[in-house]
């Protein structure tokens, strides 16, 4: 079968589906209309579906191609897409702009959903070409770091029985049609933390009568900068970012408390394990120095996304049948997080460039101006189909 030709023939419908989901985004764990639409499209094609947990959908296609494997169990290939959007007001002016106020598909999950739907439809229409079974996993709540969807779906029987789990993520930072599928770490762990600082409020004219939590918070931020510069590896990507500093007060009042929020990212699971200890150590030292009370709370999110070698080697064979040679590259490690990492099956996660050809026109993920090069979407569909073709031949 010519996977790219099939995907190209289906391109108009693929883009239409993507634009529907872009115009009707829903945030994590509230993807009810998205779920309904996914089921509607699949059932029109006679594809069996299951709603195993909240807004999730799993669809099933069974290949009918005969094999000479005797009594060997049919392979089961899981393919996953995330379906949730972000709490963000879209500022684009396209005809399919978000109709839901304050919600936007600004990370490409609308594209992921459409690509997986197209793959399911084409696999079903050409099931005689496949000797394996497909489990198509439409996963909610990838963006909800503290309680994401993969943490629940990974333990479902229909997921656990998959011999492989594959997926992809579109990125506007990379040129259109670039494909990267390395062995090993590909995306970072994504944990969050808060630092509650309790000082002693006082009149701003007499700071000596209080304990200034703002000054304490600044010291904590400066200490983190030293850690990043002198303790974290200079060759393995890692990030500690303070993303919020809250200390509501007035012009003449030193407040009683302050709150820091942030995120820790790592490419190395061992480094990830060190982060909570680093934050606690800093808190203890600064509390002793400043007399403030400091409480650190650490919230584990998705672990490091690590591509398994055997699963990747199949994918790399598939890439050669779909992408031009110059488009297959090894891209830099991505410090964004991805809860695909929570799936315990042998897995391979493709990074797919969907940025505009002219770099100046590219908008980053999570931007209110986020847009993708839609002509690339068919390559995602073709890759999934070709992966199945290569996997069943092994």
């Amino acid at each position: 079968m010519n996977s790219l030709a099939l995907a190209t023939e289906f391109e108009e419908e693929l883009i239409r589906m993507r634009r529907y989901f872009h115009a009707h985004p829903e945030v994590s764990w509230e993807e009810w209309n998205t779920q309904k639409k996914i089921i509607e499209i699949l059932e029109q094609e006679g594809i069996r579906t299951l709603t195993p947990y909240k807004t999730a959908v799993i669809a099933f296609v069974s290949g009918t191609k005969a094999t000479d494997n005797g009594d060997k169990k049919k392979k089961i290939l899981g393919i996953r897409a995330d379906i949730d959007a972000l709490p963000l007001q879209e500022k684009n002016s396209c005809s399919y702009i978000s109709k839901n106020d304050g919600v936007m598909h600004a990370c490409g999950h609308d594209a992921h959903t459409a690509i997986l739907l197209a793959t399911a439809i084409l696999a079903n229409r050409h099931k005689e070409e496949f000797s394996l079974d497909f489990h198509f996993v439409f996963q909610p709540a990838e963006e909800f770091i503290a309680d994401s969807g993969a943490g629940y779906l990974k333990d479902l029987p229909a997921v656990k029985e998959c011999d492989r789990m594959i997926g992809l993520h579109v990125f506007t930072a990379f040129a259109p049609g670039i494909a990267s599928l390395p062995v090993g770490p590909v995306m970072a762990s994504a944990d969050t933390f808060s630092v509650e600082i309790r000082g002693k409020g006082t009149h701003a004219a007499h700071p000596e009568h209080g304990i200034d939590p703002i000054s304490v918070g600044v010291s904590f931020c400066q200490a983190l900068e030293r850690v990043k510069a002198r303790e974290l590896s200079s060759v393995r990507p890692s990030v500690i970012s303070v993303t919020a500093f809250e200390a509501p007060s007035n012009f003449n009042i030193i407040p009683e408390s302050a709150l820091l929020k942030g995120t820790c990212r790592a490419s190395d699971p061992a480094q990830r394990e060190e982060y909570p200890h680093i934050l606690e150590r800093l808190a203890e030292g600064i509390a002793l120095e400043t007399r403030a009370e400091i409480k650190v709370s650490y919230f584990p999110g998705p672990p490091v996304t690590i591509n398994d070698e055997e699963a990747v080697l199949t994918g790399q064979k598939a890439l050669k049948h779909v992408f031009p040679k110059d488009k297959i590259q090894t891209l830099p490690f991505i410090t964004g997080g991805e809860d695909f990492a929570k799936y315990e099956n042998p897995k391979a996660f493709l990074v797919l460039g969907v940025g505009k050809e002219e770099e100046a026109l590219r908008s980053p993920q999570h931007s209110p101006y986020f847009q993708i090069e839609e002509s690339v979407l068919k390559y995602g569909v073709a890759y999934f189909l070709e992966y199945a073709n290569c996997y069943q031949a092994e």
Side-chain angles (χ1 to χ4, degrees):
M1 65 183 293
N2 187 326
S3 300
L4 184 55
L6 287 177
T8 301
E9 289 173 9
F10 198 75
E11 184 174 24
E12 184 176 342
E13 179 64 14
L14 170 63
I15 291 174
R16 189 193 68 77
M17 290 191 298
R18 182 258 162 173
R19 291 184 177 186
Y20 173 85
F21 291 113
H22 189 87
H24 300 86
E26 295 171 299
V27 296
S28 299
W29 296 124
E30 297 179 18
E31 310 96 332
W32 298 109
N33 176 70
T34 303
Q35 181 192 57
K36 180 181 177 181
K37 188 66 174 179
I38 290 169
I39 293 171
E40 175 189 311
I41 292 170
L42 293 170
E43 289 187 344
Q44 286 175 352
E45 294 286 327
I47 298 172
R48 182 170 68 92
T49 63
L50 174 71
T51 52
Y53 187 81
K54 294 187 178 180
T55 49
V57 179
I58 300 179
F60 304 89
V61 171
S62 185
T64 60
K65 183 179 180 180
T67 68
D68 55 1
N69 289 339
D71 295 330
K72 284 187 178 179
K73 172 182 169 290
K74 284 177 75 174
K75 293 176 179 176
I76 301 176
L77 177 62
I79 313 180
R80 170 269 199 181
D82 38 17
I83 66 174
D84 57 326
L86 289 158
L88 183 67
Q89 186 66 45
E90 183 165 10
K91 294 183 180 180
N92 287 311
S93 56
C94 57
S95 61
Y96 48 93
I97 191 173
S98 172
K99 298 180 185 298
N100 297 339
D101 191 51
V103 186
M104 179 189 176
H105 270 297
C107 200
H109 298 190
D110 51 344
H112 302 166
T113 304
I115 287 170
L116 192 57
L117 277 169
T119 305
I121 291 168
L122 292 174
N124 187 59
R125 291 181 183 179
H126 299 274
K127 64 179 70 175
E128 71 282 355
E129 299 279 353
F130 297 103
S131 59
L132 49 68
D133 289 344
F134 294 89
H135 290 189
F136 298 99
V137 180
F138 296 87
Q139 179 212 300
E142 190 277 334
E143 297 287 0
F144 196 69
I145 294 177
D147 195 30
S148 70
Y152 297 90
L153 269 59
K154 70 180 179 67
D155 293 322
L156 296 174
V159 171
K160 290 179 74 70
E161 67 183 357
C162 293
D163 299 297
R164 297 266 181 92
M165 182 68 69
I166 64 172
L168 62 75
H169 204 303
V170 297
F171 282 95
T172 52
F174 306 119
I178 296 295
S180 180
L181 188 65
V183 174
V186 62
M187 292 184 71
S189 57
D191 302 334
T192 55
F193 66 87
S194 65
V195 180
E196 300 173 60
I197 302 168
R198 182 158 297 278
K200 182 180 178 182
T202 186
H203 196 294
H206 293 281
E208 71 277 12
H209 295 160
I211 299 173
D212 184 355
I214 296 176
S215 176
V216 176
V218 169
S219 294
F220 196 95
C221 292
Q222 290 174 329
L224 282 177
E225 293 301 314
R226 184 198 60 77
V227 167
K228 290 190 285 186
R230 288 293 176 263
E231 292 188 32
L232 301 187
S233 171
S234 60
V235 295
R236 293 191 301 271
S238 55
V239 176
I240 305 177
S241 290
V242 174
T243 57
F245 192 143
E246 302 169 7
S249 187
N250 210 333
F251 296 105
N252 58 353
I253 301 172
I254 290 177
E256 184 179 21
S257 63
L259 175 65
L260 306 181
K261 298 177 183 178
T263 184
C264 294
R265 309 292 173 113
S267 58
D268 178 4
Q271 175 63 72
R272 182 195 188 203
E273 295 299 318
E274 286 298 311
Y275 284 142
H277 306 299
I278 290 171
L279 295 174
E280 289 287 358
R281 169 165 54 85
L282 296 183
E284 289 175 9
I286 293 170
L288 182 63
E289 176 189 354
T290 63
R291 299 170 294 133
E293 296 177 14
I294 304 177
K295 177 186 176 184
V296 173
S297 299
Y298 197 86
F299 310 102
V304 182
T305 302
I306 300 175
N307 279 343
D308 296 294
E309 183 175 11
E310 192 173 4
V312 165
L313 292 178
T314 305
Q316 290 176 345
K317 285 188 285 187
L319 291 179
K320 294 176 182 178
H321 292 284
V322 173
F323 291 86
K325 186 176 181 180
D326 65 320
K327 294 291 188 179
I328 302 173
Q329 302 179 13
T330 299
L331 295 171
F333 180 83
I334 296 169
T335 51
E338 170 55 68
D339 82 338
F340 183 80
K342 293 183 178 180
Y343 291 101
E344 297 168 355
N345 320 66
K347 54 186 173 286
F349 198 64
L350 176 74
V351 173
L352 182 61
V354 293
K356 299 297 181 180
E357 193 68 56
E358 187 177 342
E359 192 169 349
L361 298 178
R362 299 175 193 169
S363 295
Q365 318 287 124
H366 295 206
S367 161
Y369 299 101
F370 178 84
Q371 268 293 11
I372 66 171
E373 178 52 63
E374 292 179 313
S375 64
V376 175
L377 299 184
K378 61 180 176 288
Y379 288 96
V381 177
Y383 164 72
F384 282 156
L385 292 172
E386 195 59 38
Y387 190 104
N389 195 38
C390 291
Y391 183 39
Q392 69 185 4
E394 293 177 350

